[in-house]
Amino acid sequence: MELPEHLSLSDLLAPDWHTIQLSNPARSRVTLNRNYLDEKLKSGKTFYGINTGFGSLCNVRIRDEELAQLQENLVCSHACGMGDEVPHQIVRLMLLLKIHGLGKGYSGVRPEIVERLALFLNHDILPVVFEAGSLGASGDLAPLAHLCLPLFGKGMVDYKGVRMPAQDALSKSGIHPIKLAAKEGLALLNGTQFMTSYLCYSLLKVANLVKWADIIGSLSADAFLAKDEPFKHPIHRVRPHAGQIETAARIRTLLQDSPLQQQPKEQVQDPYSFRCMPQVHGATKDVTATVTKVLETEINSVTDNPIVFHDEDAIMSGGNFHGQTLALHADFMAMAIAELANISERRTYLLVSGQRKLAPFLAPDAGLNSGFMIAQYTAAAIVSQNKQYCTPASVDSIVSSNGQEDHVSMGANAATKLLKVVKNVQRVLGIELLTAAQALEMRRPATSSPKLEKVFADLRTVAAYMPTDDVLHDRLIAAEKFLDLNADQYL
């Protein structure tokens, strides 16, 4: 399929990115832009990173006959990543977004370079990229260097699920290594595609988890015999934040026709973790909408340097590679999504607390059995870890490149720890789901709403009721994986 001119976050879910190709307009733009750069180089003028050294070596002029070697040296010297390997799904996003950015036609690369990256996707050649090494300014240099080493046959790749040297994978695919030309190494390494890909992957998971939080919170509310009054529209009409209104409406729909809701309630009010779900879940949705808007601007931007403006007869050196906006919004998103786990753990705590005629720790024979006692401990430990991860990376900076790059965003650190927070939130929600299902079973023969009973029934196909103590870990993992399902089918 041809890459569209504009990518949205939802486009990244398309199943056929393995058959990607540049559109004719994009190829024409890239070709025109490269031809303009070649003409400019004939003038003998000096352009940063094209015929000079890099970073604080920007004043070193490189001879014309060494320009191709300069670019290959750049990629090799910058391939300094360490730490965990980047997951395959995120490597695919990095390739896709790098192709899309170069396809804007302002990076001075040959179309062959962009098309070669597309071949990597099409042939399932996934470069081995490492998580640590980017400062989130001057581009994601180290991760993108590892991403692009295989263009000229260096580095390691996963080819159709098998780890091998890039040269071997290219040979098996019938692809020849390609030499880099002037500017191309810098265009490949400058850019925010590492930070952006982590953010995109996290946001796609968040979009599903915010719906699951409403579903699971509703199931817990019924199991805890909470009132539905806090979700009624007049309350939210007079404080009309979009996420709050959406959450309240969803919970009302999920609880509709629930016999448990019809039972008389003894309490005057419920604890905040139930009563304030629209306000808390809704705030997370509002932040998600804000971050999504920023992210969609970023994935459709040109973020390398210098930028070749063939349409304005200029080659300009600037700072579009600086990830400050991504760093700030990744930190913001981490704090917002962590709150779903914070409030979820509180609902789990209440469900196991022995209140409202539920057995202590939801153990049918409490004392002999400990039930869900330690499941709540696990949730508490994960929530505490999230608080540590939510210390913002964006307030940090460190001088690099001999002082030339004297303010950096740390956006890569913000983006990678965001994914850790998102995964933790899914674990805590899974614990609450399993706990709520255990509590609901103790309310039998009373039932919840048809929508929530469907969730309950499907969960029970992978995680059974626990009448006596058992190894709870297996059920917790099953509940966590259950939340990989698309929540829309239950709404």
Side-chain angles (χ1 to χ4, degrees), residues 448-469:
S448 185
S449 69
K451 287 181 180 293
L452 294 176
E453 287 290 342
K454 170 63 175 168
V455 176
F456 173 86
D458 287 354
L459 174 68
R460 281 292 180 248
T461 65
V462 296
Y465 174 67
M466 198 169 77
T468 58
D469 282 352

Side-chain angles (χ1 to χ4, degrees), residues 236-441:
H236 310 286
R237 175 176 58 81
V238 296
R239 195 198 191 198
H241 293 292
Q244 179 176 331
I245 288 176
E246 177 187 342
T247 304
R250 181 172 290 154
I251 294 173
R252 288 197 306 273
T253 300
L254 287 164
L255 292 176
Q256 189 174 344
D257 299 325
S258 167
L260 281 168
Q261 278 301 311
Q262 306 310 313
Q263 290 186 8
K265 306 295 191 297
E266 296 178 1
Q267 72 274 22
V268 176
Q269 289 183 332
D270 292 304
Y272 286 0
S273 57
F274 290 103
R275 194 181 353 147
C276 296
M277 279 194 286
Q279 291 79 7
V280 177
H281 293 197
T284 300
K285 292 183 179 73
D286 290 340
V287 173
T288 303
T290 297
V291 177
T292 298
K293 183 178 179 181
V294 168
L295 196 54
E296 290 191 346
T297 297
E298 187 73 9
I299 65 179
N300 290 289
S301 297
V302 177
T303 59
D304 61 292
N305 180 65
I307 299 175
V308 180
F309 292 100
H310 59 274
D311 46 2
E312 298 188 39
D313 190 20
I315 299 175
M316 300 183 188
S317 187
N320 278 3
F321 49 66
H322 200 293
Q324 191 68 33
T325 190
L326 296 174
L328 288 166
H329 285 88
D331 284 339
F332 194 15
M333 190 70 253
M335 289 184 281
I337 193 68
E339 282 304 297
L340 295 186
N342 283 354
I343 196 169
S344 170
E345 183 276 330
R346 290 292 81 198
R347 293 190 295 260
T348 295
Y349 176 86
L350 288 168
L351 287 168
V352 303
S353 64
Q355 299 183 48
R356 299 187 183 177
K357 300 180 181 179
L358 289 171
F361 305 112
L362 304 178
D365 190 1
L368 175 63
N369 295 295
S370 295
F372 280 66
M373 178 191 293
I374 308 303
Q376 184 268 325
Y377 281 41
T378 302
I382 295 171
V383 163
S384 182
Q385 185 181 65
N386 269 357
K387 293 171 186 175
Q388 294 149 19
Y389 283 149
C390 284
T391 300
S394 55
V395 299
D396 189 21
S397 181
I398 194 165
V399 178
S400 59
S401 196
N402 205 24
Q404 179 73 4
E405 297 162 10
D406 57 348
H407 180 277
V408 297
S409 74
M410 296 299 178
N413 288 350
T416 52
K417 72 184 181 64
L418 168 61
L419 182 55
K420 292 179 172 66
V421 173
V422 171
K423 289 180 176 179
N424 272 347
V425 171
Q426 182 164 336
R427 293 173 182 128
V428 174
L429 287 173
I431 291 171
E432 183 190 355
L433 174 60
L434 198 65
T435 306
Q438 181 86 356
L440 183 64
E441 200 120 26

Side-chain angles (χ1 to χ4, degrees), residues 28-47:
S28 297
R29 283 195 304 268
V30 173
T31 301
L32 177 64
N33 188 253
R34 179 67 200 192
N35 290 341
Y36 167 82
L37 176 61
D38 285 339
E39 289 300 315
K40 278 293 186 182
L41 287 174
K42 292 176 183 177
S43 71
K45 292 183 179 179
T46 299
F47 302 101

